[in-house]
Amino acid sequence: MPNPQPRDLYDVTIIGAGPAGLAAAVYAARQGLQTAVVFGAMGGQLTRAHKIENFIGFTLISGPELLERFREHVRQFDVDCFEGNLVNAIVPVEHGFDVFSREGLQLSARTVIIASGKAPARLAIPGEEEMVGRGVSYCATCDAAFFVGKPVVVIGPGESAADAALQLAELGAEPVTLVNRKPIGAPAPVLAKLEEHENVTVEAGVSPLRIEGEEHVTGLVVSDEATAEERTIEASGVFIEMGSIKAEEFATGLVELNDAGEIVVDKRGATSTLGIYAAGDVTDDFGKQIIIAAGQGARAAMAVWRDLKRS
């Protein structure tokens, strides 16, 4: 379906169409706001979620299935969706903001909600892309329950990787092997917990080469830095904890970012710039989960409605 003709002025333009952006769109439209959503592709990281067991109302649903439910919900409302557009600039103007995409789209809006998400940094090794949802994961909190009693490998340099390894071990994965090219850069108490945990092994000086498996992950091939010898670590799951790609280029210099590149928001989802709000994984809010992102999107839309009503 072709994109609609842009209106002269929207009450709110939402950047991103993952759980946060789509929830914001529903809440904004229900409150009578003229709403636009601009995005590259709908769903964000949700499209890569193989099994979801922690979204209330569904005991088990796949990411694409849940996305389709979201999509159908948004279609019930008067929301203009502009797909295939990657936003690269937000410019403050007299009426609010002009939003520009790399593809040449320009939208004018009184307010903006940034819900562009946070893409996990990838290793870009053979087998990674092919095995997403079949043993490769970027979220221990999301997927640990699927690996109880199974061997897993965590790849990463810092505290998030250490925390993932401990979480997996505590939730029943065994054994858990944490690998990285250099020693793990985590606080001393975290390193002590890793050393004390009988189900966790830390291997520094190891480079991941490729992920093996056909229908499911069976192992990670690594190279020992000192000897250059290759070997395979048996694993049913490979958890990649290399950090995340930081906030989009359009946010830098426009709103306050923290040291992790996340957009700083208050309890309503408002940023440091009047009229700009943010929701979901792009923010500094705790808990990068689908259900939390959706709630933050709803919250931001409610704040937009209230602030516009008062203006």
Side-chain angles (χ1 to χ4, degrees):
M1 180 180 296
N3 288 335
Q5 184 68 26
R7 305 184 196 190
D8 291 337
L9 181 65
Y10 290 95
D11 291 314
V12 59
T13 289
I14 300 164
I15 300 170
L22 296 177
V26 168
Y27 268 74
R30 285 188 75 250
Q31 294 172 112
L33 301 181
Q34 288 194 345
T35 304
V37 185
V38 55
F39 55 97
M42 190 171 285
Q45 295 185 66
L46 187 59
T47 60
R48 295 179 173 273
H50 182 52
K51 295 178 181 179
I52 299 168
E53 291 186 312
N54 55 0
F55 195 91
I56 190 70
F58 299 97
T59 55
L60 179 64
I61 190 170
S62 72
E65 287 173 326
L66 186 57
L67 172 59
E68 188 57 34
R69 301 289 185 97
F70 289 173
R71 190 197 306 268
E72 288 299 322
H73 201 163
V74 172
R75 284 174 179 163
Q76 305 304 309
F77 300 95
D78 185 17
V79 175
D80 287 351
C81 292
F82 297 90
E83 187 168 8
N85 284 276
L86 297 175
V87 171
N88 63 351
I90 302 173
V91 180
V93 292
E94 184 177 356
H95 60 251
F97 304 92
D98 283 343
V99 177
F100 298 88
S101 79
R102 295 177 186 174
E103 293 72 23
L105 177 70
Q106 178 180 347
L107 300 176
S108 296
R110 298 169 68 192
T111 63
V112 172
I113 297 175
I114 300 174
S116 51
K118 178 184 286 186
R122 303 185 181 279
L123 285 172
I125 61 175
E128 178 181 6
E129 182 71 21
E130 297 85 346
M131 288 295 161
V132 170
R134 293 190 286 169
V136 169
S137 174
Y138 302 90
C139 179
T141 301
C142 308
D143 296 330
F146 300 116
F147 295 91
V148 175
K150 298 178 180 180
V152 299
V153 175
V154 178
I155 305 171
E159 188 172 1
S160 63
D163 287 342
L166 289 169
Q167 182 178 19
L168 286 159
E170 288 164 3
L171 291 176
E174 57 177 341
V176 177
T177 306
L178 173 57
V179 303
N180 190 53
R181 292 184 179 90
K182 297 180 179 180
I184 303 299
V190 176
L191 294 176
K193 287 182 180 179
L194 287 173
E195 189 173 338
E196 293 167 2
H197 208 298
E198 60 182 12
N199 283 338
V200 178
T201 300
V202 179
E203 295 192 19
V206 170
S207 296
L209 296 180
R210 61 185 178 274
I211 298 169
E212 294 190 323
E214 294 182 6
E215 294 299 319
H216 299 281
V217 168
T218 58
L220 174 71
V221 179
V222 301
S223 173
D224 289 313
E225 295 281 307
T227 64
E229 293 182 357
E230 293 186 15
R231 58 188 172 89
T232 300
I233 302 174
E234 180 186 354
S236 297
V238 174
F239 288 79
I240 299 171
E241 294 283 347
M242 301 297 296
S244 300
I245 298 172
K246 296 183 178 182
E248 303 290 346
E249 59 189 82
F250 55 79
T252 303
L254 182 67
V255 296
E256 181 185 354
L257 305 178
N258 65 12
D259 291 341
E262 300 167 326
I263 298 175
V264 177
V265 294
D266 66 14
K267 63 182 181 181
R268 302 179 310 121
T271 72
S272 59
T273 298
L274 185 66
I276 298 182
Y277 307 75
D281 288 3
V282 76
T283 74
D284 66 338
D285 267 352
F286 172 77
K288 310 302 185 184
Q289 297 289 295
I290 296 168
I291 196 166
I292 294 175
Q296 291 170 356
R299 178 186 68 180
M302 293 172 67
V304 166
W305 176 81
R306 176 175 290 186
D307 291 347
L308 288 179
K309 184 179 179 181
R310 291 174 173 174
S311 63

